[in-house]
Amino acid sequence: MKRTYTDQEMIRILKQELVIPDKVDQGMQDAYKKLGIKRSGKISFARKHRMWHVLAAAAVIAAGSSIVVVAANKFLSANLVKEKDSVAYELAIDRGQTAHKIEVTPTYIPAGYELGAENTPYAGKWHNQETGGTLVISSMNAAELDEQIRLGNAKQLTHGMKEKNLVEELELNGTKAALFMPDSAFVDSTEERLDMMLFNEDEGYLVTIYNSSLPKDEVMKIARGLDIQVLDSTVSYKTDAEINSILAEQEASQKQLQAEMAPHALAENNFFSVGTELKVPFLPAEDGTKPEDIRYTVESVEVKDRLPASEYPAENFHDYDGEMAAWLNEDGTLKPHERYKYTLNPDGSESGDPVVETVNSKFVVVNMKLKNNNEVNQFGDDVMVCPLIEYLTVDGNAYSKSYTKEYRRANEDYHLQIDGFPVYFDKMYNTEGTKRAKSFHFVPMQPGEELEYTLVYVVDEDRLDNAFFHFYSGYGGWPVPEGGNEFVYVKVQQ
C-alpha cells in the first residue's frame, strides 16, 4: 500500500541512517548538505524498499519547504517531570501526523531465556527456567499512546514512581530512554530489577523492557539490539466520542468494583459453631442443575505453639523442607516474620506506603469430617477438603466481609499463609510429583463416602480473633435462597 509523507515525516526519514548503495548515498549526502541536517539513528535492511520515497522527499524539501517550523514539531513529546518525590513522563501526541503500526524484534536475548509457547503462563514472554527470570518487551504506537493519554493513564503507563526509582536518563540511537529500578516486593529480596522505557519522539512510539532480574549491562544490550520497524500500515486515532464512551464504561466499572470491594455486613445465619454439619447453602440453577452436596463438620479447633513431630510427621506438610523448616525455631515454635500493612480508603483502595510489621504466628489445628452426600457426582470425583482461612472486619459483635487485603507477606521465602490454605493435611491420596499439590486440597470421593482428617493452618497471633474458616468459597454463581446464607463461616478461636 502506497504511503504519503508529510514534510515532518520526510525530515524524520532523512535524519535516519539509511542502508543504501554508494551512488545513491552520494546524492542523499548532497540533499543533507542543502538542508543542514546531520544524519543520526539507524535503519534496518527491511526498510530499503522505502528508499525512493526518501529520495522524493529530499527533492521536495530541498525545493523550498519550511524546515524550521516542521523541525520544531514532535510527533511525540515525552518529558520527565518530578512532582514532590515522584517522577513520571508527561506525554503528548501530535494527532495531525499519521500513526503507523510498529514491529519490535529483539536481536539479542540473554543466554538461557526462551520465548514461552502459547497457552502457557509465559506466552509472549522470555523465561529462564534455571533462574526463574522473566523478560517482556512491549510496544505502543502513536494511536495507542494517544488513547492512554486521553484516558488519563499516562502516569501509570510510564511508571509514576518515586524519584529514587529513576536510575538514569539516557539516549540510545537518537531515542529518549530511561532506566527505572522498581521497589522490591519483599524486604529481604537480594534481586534488583531494572526496567527500561524508550520513547521515539520523531516516530511517536514507546517500547518498554520489563525484566525480573537482569543487570544493567544486559538490559542495555537488549535495548541496543532492538530492531524497531515503522510499518506502512496506518492506525486510526480514537475519536472524542469513542474516548468518552470508554471513560464512561471505566467509571461505571470502577463504581461497581468499589461497591463489591467495600465491606459487606454479615448476618447471624452466616456463622456456625463447632460440631454443626454444614450443608450446601445454594439453590439449583435455572436449568435444574444442582450444586455438589458436600457436607463439612468442624469436629474441633485448637491453637498451638508447636507441633510434635511424632504426631505431625513431615511428609504430611505441603512442603516441609522447602517452606516450613526455615521458619521453625529449635523448640518447634514459629519464627517471627514480616508483613506489609496497608492503609485502606473507604472504597477499599490503598493509600500511602505500606508499613512493615514484625509479627509472631501460631498453628491452628482443625479436625474435620467430610461427607459426599451426592447421589451422583455431577462434576467429577474430586472433592475440596480444606476451607480457607479468611479474615473478617470486627466491630463489637458485628462482622463484615471485605475483599481488600490489609496485609501482605513481606518476606520473599515466606509461604505459610498464602491464600489462606493449610500447611498440613494427613490424608493426601497422592504424594508424588505434581499430583501431590492437587491432592493436598482435593480427594476423590464417591457418593456416600465419608472422610475424617486433620488440617493445620498458620495464623498471625494478633489476627486470631478475626480468623474464620470459610466454606463453599468456590461456589460463586449459584443462586442463594431467599433469606439464605451466602457465606458459611466457623470461627477459628472459639
Side-chain angles (χ1 to χ4, degrees), residues 80 87 89 159 161-172 176-182 193-199 209-211 214-221 223-224:
L80 194 63
V87 293
Y89 274 95
H159 283 289
M161 291 188 177
K162 299 172 185 176
E163 188 173 353
K164 67 182 180 67
N165 298 122
L166 176 63
V167 176
E168 184 179 355
E169 293 180 79
L170 60 157
E171 187 173 294
L172 292 177
K176 185 179 290 186
L179 273 169
F180 290 90
M181 183 181 291
R193 169 181 146 221
L194 280 173
D195 294 337
M196 176 173 278
M197 312 188 73
L198 301 106
F199 295 95
I209 302 171
Y210 300 99
N211 91 93
L214 291 171
K216 178 181 176 179
D217 61 336
E218 288 289 87
V219 176
M220 295 292 289
K221 287 175 70 174
R224 290 193 177 98

Side-chain angles (χ1 to χ4, degrees), residues 156-413:
Q156 293 89 332
L157 181 70
T158 58
H159 283 289
M161 291 188 177
K162 299 172 185 176
E163 188 173 353
K164 67 182 180 67
N165 298 122
L166 176 63
V167 176
E168 184 179 355
E169 293 180 79
L170 60 157
E171 187 173 294
L172 292 177
N173 300 330
T175 297
K176 185 179 290 186
L179 273 169
F180 290 90
M181 183 181 291
D183 291 331
S184 172
F186 307 104
V187 295
D188 52 1
S189 176
T190 58
E191 290 188 348
E192 292 185 343
R193 169 181 146 221
L194 280 173
D195 294 337
M196 176 173 278
M197 312 188 73
L198 301 106
F199 295 95
N200 191 302
E201 295 182 308
D202 290 333
E203 296 285 6
Y205 61 74
L206 163 66
V207 176
T208 307
I209 302 171
Y210 300 99
N211 91 93
S212 61
S213 57
L214 291 171
K216 178 181 176 179
D217 61 336
E218 288 289 87
V219 176
M220 295 292 289
K221 287 175 70 174
I222 295 168
R224 290 193 177 98
L226 293 178
D227 179 14
I228 304 173
Q229 301 288 320
V230 180
L231 307 179
D232 289 343
S233 306
T234 60
V235 188
S236 298
Y237 294 104
K238 286 282 194 299
T239 65
D240 289 341
E242 289 173 323
I243 291 294
N244 289 334
S245 177
I246 295 173
L247 287 171
E249 290 178 4
Q250 288 182 348
E251 183 179 1
S253 297
Q254 183 66 21
K255 288 181 178 179
Q256 180 180 351
L257 179 62
Q258 289 177 357
E260 292 174 353
M261 299 295 282
H264 293 266
L266 296 167
E268 287 186 9
N269 63 356
N270 293 128
F271 299 95
F272 298 85
S273 59
V274 170
T276 302
E277 184 182 62
L278 308 176
K279 303 177 182 180
V280 178
F282 305 106
L283 290 173
E286 292 181 359
D287 63 2
T289 305
K290 296 181 179 180
E292 295 276 30
D293 187 359
I294 306 298
R295 308 285 178 92
Y296 298 93
T297 304
V298 177
E299 300 282 283
S300 65
V301 182
E302 187 177 1
V303 177
K304 293 190 174 187
D305 291 325
R306 57 182 59 83
L307 302 176
S310 58
E311 298 178 39
Y312 302 90
E315 60 265 25
N316 290 338
F317 283 85
H318 182 263
D319 183 358
Y320 186 86
D321 293 328
E323 294 180 358
M324 176 60 66
W327 291 97
L328 290 176
N329 294 308
E330 290 185 3
D331 63 357
T333 58
L334 287 161
K335 295 178 181 178
H337 72 96
E338 291 168 301
R339 70 187 183 196
Y340 292 116
K341 184 180 186 336
Y342 291 82
T343 300
L344 300 181
N345 298 317
D347 62 0
S349 63
E350 298 168 1
S351 63
D353 294 328
V355 176
V356 178
E357 299 180 335
T358 301
V359 292
N360 294 310
S361 305
K362 301 286 188 180
F363 293 108
V364 174
V365 180
V366 54
N367 293 309
M368 298 279 301
K369 183 167 71 175
L370 183 152
K371 179 180 180 181
N372 182 347
N373 206 53
N374 293 314
E375 295 181 2
V376 176
N377 289 343
Q378 300 181 74
F379 306 104
D381 296 340
D382 288 336
V383 175
M384 181 74 148
V385 297
C386 51
L388 302 180
I389 291 286
E390 189 171 303
Y391 300 94
L392 302 180
T393 302
V394 180
D395 183 9
N397 293 324
Y399 293 92
S400 59
K401 175 184 178 68
S402 174
Y403 291 92
T404 303
K405 293 183 178 180
E406 295 181 72
Y407 299 93
R408 293 190 182 93
R409 66 188 178 108
N411 298 112
E412 189 169 16
D413 62 345

Side-chain angles (χ1 to χ4, degrees), residues 420-489:
F421 282 113
V423 297
Y424 179 96
F425 173 39
D426 67 346
K427 293 296 192 303
M428 280 187 286
Y429 72 95
N430 195 320
T431 60
E432 301 297 327
T434 57
K435 293 182 178 180
R436 175 186 172 91
K438 180 179 179 181
S439 64
F440 198 82
H441 304 122
F442 295 88
V443 293
M445 294 185 68
Q446 296 303 312
E449 280 193 287
E450 295 187 4
L451 180 70
E452 293 188 2
Y453 54 97
T454 298
L455 301 171
V456 178
Y457 299 78
V458 174
V459 176
D460 290 345
E461 62 180 5
D462 64 342
R463 303 191 75 194
L464 281 167
D465 197 50
N466 297 66
F468 290 78
F469 298 112
H470 183 193
F471 293 85
Y472 304 108
S473 58
Y475 277 61
W478 290 97
V480 181
E482 183 177 353
N485 49 347
E486 179 181 3
F487 303 107
V488 176
Y489 294 106

